[in-house]
């Protein structure tokens, strides 16, 4: 079987996508109170967004895969927000992740955060893969922002690279 096709991005590519995403969010009129990043993939995108949308960043850690990349029986909360009610209730939340793939983790996280009664919640992902999704975005979420729509390829992010020069070289061959 052939290895899945991959697509590589440089930090500069990511920066440009984040900037475009931030401008769309700002132009939409969605006035963010707090950014929630889903770790670990959402950490760096959320921090980059903060440069354009200067709001506090909270983080949650969820994992559907174990350290051997095997799916767990269920999603595991690696880390969660303390005193969530105080920080999220009545607030406009922007939930950030790097990729909307199966949407399974995203749905779980959105539903958990909705139990804390934010006044509004929007989703921002760097990349949305165009595919059949296992999960869905709850109806309460009225805004969904994506930096780019991509085919269902394996995305290689610069923060996963051990050799950043090679990453840049491969990205320039996309
Ligand atoms: P979703 O709800 O956001 O679509 O996430 P899903 O459960 O489908 O994704 C499971 C894991 O697979 C996530 O990592 C996600 O970041 C990762 N993933 C999915 N597609 C790609 C891809 O094309 N490239 C890369 N590099 N990762 C991908 P996770 O379990 O949250 O771990 P972490 O890496 O964020 O720590
Ligand atoms: Mg992730």
């Amino acid at each position: 079987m052939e290895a899945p096709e991959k697509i590589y991005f440089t930090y500069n590519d990511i920066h440009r996508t984040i900037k475009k995403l931030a401008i769309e969010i700002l132009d939409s009129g969605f006035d963010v109170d707090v950014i929630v990043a889903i770790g670990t993939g959402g950490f760096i995108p959320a921090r980059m967004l903060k440069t354009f949308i200067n709001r506090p960043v909270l983080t949650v850690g969820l994992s559907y895969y174990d350290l051997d990349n095997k799916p767990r029986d269920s999603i595991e909360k690696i880390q969660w927000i303390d005193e969530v009610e105080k920080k999220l209730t009545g607030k406009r939340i922007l939930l950030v992740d790097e990729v909307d793939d199966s949407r399974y983790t995203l749905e779980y996280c959105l539903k958990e955060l909705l139990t804390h009664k934010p006044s509004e919640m929007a989703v921002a992902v760097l990349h949305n893969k165009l595919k059949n999704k296992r999960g869905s975005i709850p109806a309460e979420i009225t805004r969904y922002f994506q930096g780019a729509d991509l085919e269902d390829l394996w995305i290689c992010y610069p923060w996963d690279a051990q050799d950043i020069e090679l990453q840049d070289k491969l990205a320039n061959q996309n």
Side-chain angles (χ1 to χ4, degrees):
M1 209 175 80
E2 274 183 53
E5 237 189 292
K6 295 179 182 174
I7 183 164
Y8 292 81
F9 291 104
T10 67
Y11 278 112
N12 283 1
D13 293 330
I14 303 293
H15 182 97
R16 284 187 281 268
T17 303
I18 290 278
K19 184 168 181 173
K20 176 188 153 272
L21 184 60
I23 290 168
E24 266 174 41
I25 295 165
L26 291 166
D27 287 352
S28 77
F30 183 72
D31 192 4
V32 179
D33 292 317
V34 59
I35 296 170
V36 176
I38 308 178
T40 60
F43 289 169
I44 298 173
R47 176 57 188 89
M48 291 169 90
L49 265 177
K50 185 174 182 279
T51 297
F52 303 98
I53 302 173
N54 191 11
R55 289 291 179 271
V57 178
L58 304 181
T59 65
V60 294
L62 295 173
S63 179
Y64 178 51
Y65 293 85
D66 64 18
L67 290 175
D68 300 321
N69 282 329
K70 298 215 183 69
R72 297 178 195 273
D73 294 337
S74 58
I75 292 173
E76 189 176 321
K77 274 183 188 159
I78 305 281
Q79 179 212 340
W80 198 246
I81 302 165
D82 288 331
E83 300 182 76
V84 266
E85 289 86 353
K86 249 196 293 187
K87 286 172 179 145
L88 303 180
T89 305
K91 300 278 170 58
R92 282 176 298 264
I93 302 175
L94 182 68
L95 183 68
V96 177
D97 209 349
E98 91 280 37
V99 59
D100 177 346
D101 179 33
S102 71
R103 220 167 251 181
Y104 188 61
T105 309
L106 213 49
E107 176 181 352
Y108 173 88
C109 194
L110 287 164
K111 285 184 173 161
E112 286 291 313
L113 293 173
L114 281 169
T115 65
H116 300 297
K117 306 267 180 288
S119 64
E120 234 184 310
M121 183 155 51
V123 176
V125 293
L126 254 181
H127 298 123
N128 172 43
K129 290 195 203 172
L130 299 170
K131 63 192 284 184
N132 284 326
K133 307 284 189 178
R134 179 175 171 201
S136 54
I137 307 287
E140 293 91 332
I141 311 302
T142 48
R143 304 179 201 240
Y144 176 98
F145 303 95
Q146 75 273 54
D149 285 319
L150 295 178
E151 285 176 74
D152 188 12
L153 305 173
W154 186 257
I155 306 163
C156 299
Y157 289 103
W159 46 84
D160 283 323
Q162 301 219 346
D163 180 341
I164 199 66
E165 278 75 30
L166 179 61
Q167 174 80 13
D168 287 359
K169 202 171 136 199
L170 292 167
N172 288 323
Q173 289 169 7
N174 276 341

